[in-house]
Amino acid sequence: MRKNRFISILALVAGLAVGIVGCATASEKGMTAKQSPKAAEVAQMISDADAARKKAASVKGEWRDTGKFIKNAQKALEASELERAMKLAKKAKAEGELGYAQAVAQKDLKMPAYLKY
Amino acid sequence: MKRKYLVGAAGVLAAVITGAIVAPQAVLAAKGASMVEEGKKIAFDRKKGNCLACHMMGDGASPGNIAPPLLAMKSRYPDKAKLRAQIWDATTANPDSTMPPFGKHNILSASELDKIVEYVWTL
Amino acid sequence: MKKLLAMSMTLMMAVGISSNVVASPEADKAAWDNHYKQRFPGVPADDYINGVYAIDKVGRENWEAIEEFPPYEPFIDAGEEMWNTPFANGKGYKDCFPKGPAIAQNYPHWDKEKGMVMTLALALNNCREANGEKPLKYKKGSINNILSYVAYQSRGNKINVVIPKDDPRAMEAYEDGKKFYYTRRGQLNFSCASCHIQNAGNVLRTEVLGPAKGQISHFPVYRSKWGTVGTLHRRFTGCNKQVRAAPFKAQGKEYRNLEYFLSYQSNGLELNGPGARK
């Protein structure tokens, strides 16, 4: 699952790179938003979001929907819906960071006061 | 859902802008009323505030009993900012609180939170 | 019981009231027992194996009606057939578990050789793989048949989870499970304890929250919501997801250690699986 996500991101980045090179060699078809500098920026945002998700997972703090947002962001990017992709990537990144902070803040077990020893 | 709400918000905004020219006071009151109404909707929505899961509030059906009923809020929270802080992150006041940190964890957006505060303040 | 209490008291005095105590498993269990006894003074200790129905009168009536025609029965039968059917190599579960099929009370346990918590589901799959069979999936599907059969045959046996003293890694696994239990997770920021200890007996929307003690006695469980029998780790998955936390892998280290900690707190209770739930 996780690996899949990673692979698809790699594929995406690779695809973008190829696309950009493709443009440079002056083929006029396929010159969509996907190859625009903005799209590259969004792709970067998505991979940053996935890094944040992974960092949260590394401390067992990943949230339920973060991965889904990243997947949907990728889909949106592929469909050249850049605004939507950006929004989802931002949301996912924030979740990754919050989940990480949540876990780290509880690094040491602190027993709740309602349980009396 | 979200889009509808956006459209609604845009509508309010438009109303405010046009209204501001005509009759500022009446419009402000109308805006307040619709804030309260939207706040109520968000508070009751299971995918949003879902406050009813734990609180008895207003005329909401089948509330849970995990938390105290939300009553006399205006007198208990004369300072609206305090009320907002409780909803933003209840664990600040009580580290063992079961109440989800609606603001801190982005469960609700800032504007959704504002609307909920307006609604809760009427209880 | 009194001894446990006394022990936990001494412990408390020894370390002050600080809440960052590394308490012994005995003290952990005593704290749970006291908590639930205070919350539910009318519930007899051995009724906790009925989960939420120990404290939810209305739910209990429905449940008792369901238990008259147990929905998990066909799964027990299918499991019995699995148990008695040899693998392709001629061997079977019987050869891996000569004392079977009433063996649920031996799990989870610390496997010193493998250095990990061994659960019944894992042991069953290890048996399959050792005999050249494909392992079964850990949440849904036919693993629930064989688990249902073993659970049914083990009814009445007592839960007796041991944290052996001769291997510090066992205690580490227990502590890891304990940490998991009290850690808040997900966007909604709940720990397992938030619902099953702090709010046990309270109503979340329309759902009565059951006590954690006794929760593991009746797995696998037929859930009307699932329309089938599911494993304990499937339930863990659901309880993680409902607070918007990413679930962990069924039979991965996190859930096995959690099962170890959680099962220990039910020591002394009778097994009564499989169960039926909403």
Side-chain angles (χ1 to χ4, degrees):
Chain A
M1 188 66 214
R2 236 170 245 168
K3 203 174 267 169
N4 273 345
R5 235 181 253 143
F6 182 58
I7 288 170
S8 44
I9 287 199
L10 270 186
L12 190 82
V13 170
L16 274 169
V18 170
I20 288 163
V21 172
C23 285
T25 53
S27 105
E28 63 176 35
K29 64 171 179 198
M31 180 62 194
T32 62
K34 223 188 263 181
Q35 286 89 20
S36 71
K38 178 86 181 283
E41 191 192 321
V42 175
Q44 183 59 48
M45 282 174 73
I46 296 176
S47 91
D48 289 350
D50 203 48
R53 180 192 65 76
K54 285 209 188 89
K55 195 169 162 199
S58 75
V59 290
K60 305 184 194 178
E62 184 181 348
W63 290 0
R64 186 188 62 190
D65 299 334
T66 316
K68 193 173 78 190
F69 294 149
I70 291 171
K71 234 198 240 149
N72 290 343
Q74 272 167 238
K75 273 193 207 141
L77 174 61
E78 277 152 33
S80 301
E81 296 171 38
L82 296 188
E83 286 307 313
R84 191 174 128 74
M86 231 158 72
K87 215 169 131 190
L88 284 161
K90 262 191 208 154
K91 198 154 123 176
K93 180 154 179 271
E95 284 206 351
E97 288 164 355
L98 285 163
Y100 178 79
Q102 178 188 36
V104 167
Q106 300 175 89
K107 198 162 77 51
D108 301 311
L109 170 64
K110 192 158 178 202
M111 292 299 285
Y114 51 77
L115 200 60
K116 300 280 182 281
Y117 273 82
Chain B
M1 187 65 228
K2 213 179 242 166
R3 192 163 292 163
K4 231 192 245 160
Y5 146 68
L6 269 179
V7 170
V12 170
L13 206 77
V16 170
I17 292 167
T18 44
I21 308 162
V22 200
Q25 249 136 13
V27 170
L28 268 180
K31 181 195 164 206
S34 80
M35 283 270 281
V36 167
E37 209 164 284
E38 282 176 48
K40 178 174 176 178
K41 229 183 262 159
I42 299 162
F44 284 20
D45 185 338
R46 276 169 183 257
K47 294 230 158 87
K48 292 277 181 183
N50 198 18
C51 315
L52 287 166
C54 298
H55 293 279
M56 198 181 93
M57 70 198 296
D59 56 1
S62 56
N65 67 356
I66 283 178
L70 299 179
L71 295 167
M73 281 294 134
K74 217 171 276 175
S75 63
R76 308 223 8 260
Y77 288 87
D79 182 1
K80 234 188 236 180
K82 270 229 173 89
L83 181 57
R84 194 176 195 279
Q86 166 72 22
I87 305 172
W88 201 82
D89 179 12
T91 62
T92 310
N94 169 17
D96 286 335
S97 179
T98 349
M99 178 158 153
F102 289 98
K104 184 181 168 194
H105 275 189
N106 295 345
I107 302 167
L108 298 171
S109 70
S111 86
E112 286 170 332
L113 210 78
D114 289 339
K115 287 173 186 156
I116 288 201
V117 169
E118 289 305 324
Y119 164 61
V120 171
W121 220 45
T122 66
L123 296 172
Chain C
M1 192 62 230
K2 280 228 176 81
K3 209 161 126 201
L4 283 183
L5 254 178
M7 270 174 66
S8 61
M9 291 297 278
T10 3
L11 198 93
M12 197 171 92
M13 285 190 290
V15 284
I17 329 170
S18 149
S19 52
N20 291 321
V21 194
V22 180
S24 68
E26 291 86 352
D28 289 335
K29 184 171 184 311
W32 280 34
D33 287 345
N34 288 332
H35 178 80
Y36 290 128
K37 211 186 281 173
Q38 275 176 18
R39 251 181 126 75
F40 312 115
V43 173
D46 58 6
D47 210 27
Y48 282 91
I49 59 174
N50 297 319
V52 70
Y53 304 127
I55 58 170
D56 174 12
K57 286 226 169 60
V58 180
R60 185 164 188 136
E61 277 172 25
N62 289 328
W63 170 64
E64 281 171 347
I66 287 171
E67 281 282 348
E68 292 196 15
F69 304 96
Y72 47 74
E73 225 158 45
F75 299 87
I76 298 175
D77 294 344
E80 180 170 12
E81 196 172 326
M82 278 171 83
W83 184 271
N84 290 318
T85 307
F87 301 134
N89 70 357
K91 299 236 166 110
Y93 291 106
K94 289 186 217 178
D95 299 292
C96 300
F97 306 99
K99 290 189 180 141
I103 50 170
Q105 69 284 353
N106 302 331
Y107 298 89
H109 69 244
W110 180 252
D111 186 325
K112 194 171 175 182
E113 205 176 297
K114 293 196 166 72
M116 63 191 278
V117 171
M118 182 56 61
T119 63
L120 177 55
L122 202 56
L124 288 165
N125 261 348
N126 283 348
C127 168
R128 293 178 63 87
E129 289 185 283
N131 287 292
E133 297 286 318
K134 273 209 201 119
L136 304 172
K137 288 199 183 131
Y138 283 122
K139 289 195 288 196
K140 306 178 186 180
S142 62
I143 197 158
N144 288 290
N145 299 346
I146 189 109
L147 285 171
S148 294
Y149 176 59
V150 171
Y152 187 68
Q153 292 293 324
S154 310
R155 277 189 177 185
N157 292 338
K158 290 227 163 105
I159 299 161
N160 180 30
V161 177
V162 178
I163 322 287
K165 299 265 192 303
D166 66 348
D167 188 346
R169 294 173 304 171
M171 191 60 191
E172 273 168 36
Y174 174 90
E175 289 292 338
D176 186 54
K178 176 175 170 181
K179 169 102 191 298
F180 191 106
Y181 204 83
Y182 292 104
T183 299
R184 290 172 179 268
R185 289 204 150 70
Q187 189 180 35
L188 301 186
N189 204 37
F190 284 84
S191 71
C192 310
S194 310
C195 284
H196 294 298
I197 295 182
Q198 186 180 19
N199 283 296
N202 286 346
V203 181
L204 183 67
R205 193 56 95 147
T206 52
E207 188 102 55
V208 181
L209 295 166
K213 182 178 155 179
Q215 248 176 1
I216 50 91
S217 73
H218 43 271
F219 271 83
V221 159
Y222 182 97
R223 270 190 92 188
S224 317
K225 187 182 153 193
W226 294 336
T228 186
V229 177
T231 62
L232 180 62
H233 290 205
R234 183 173 178 194
R235 196 37 142 143
F236 289 170
T237 302
C239 276
N240 273 151
K241 280 191 204 98
Q242 71 175 326
V243 301
R244 301 186 192 163
F248 294 83
K249 221 173 117 197
Q251 295 300 330
K253 189 174 171 196
E254 291 86 2
Y255 281 174
R256 274 185 289 113
N257 290 350
L258 172 63
E259 180 178 341
Y260 197 41
F261 167 78
L262 188 58
S263 303
Y264 181 91
Q265 317 308 325
S266 291
N267 269 354
L269 296 175
E270 280 187 4
L271 290 167
N272 61 337
R277 292 291 181 273
K278 266 203 295 189

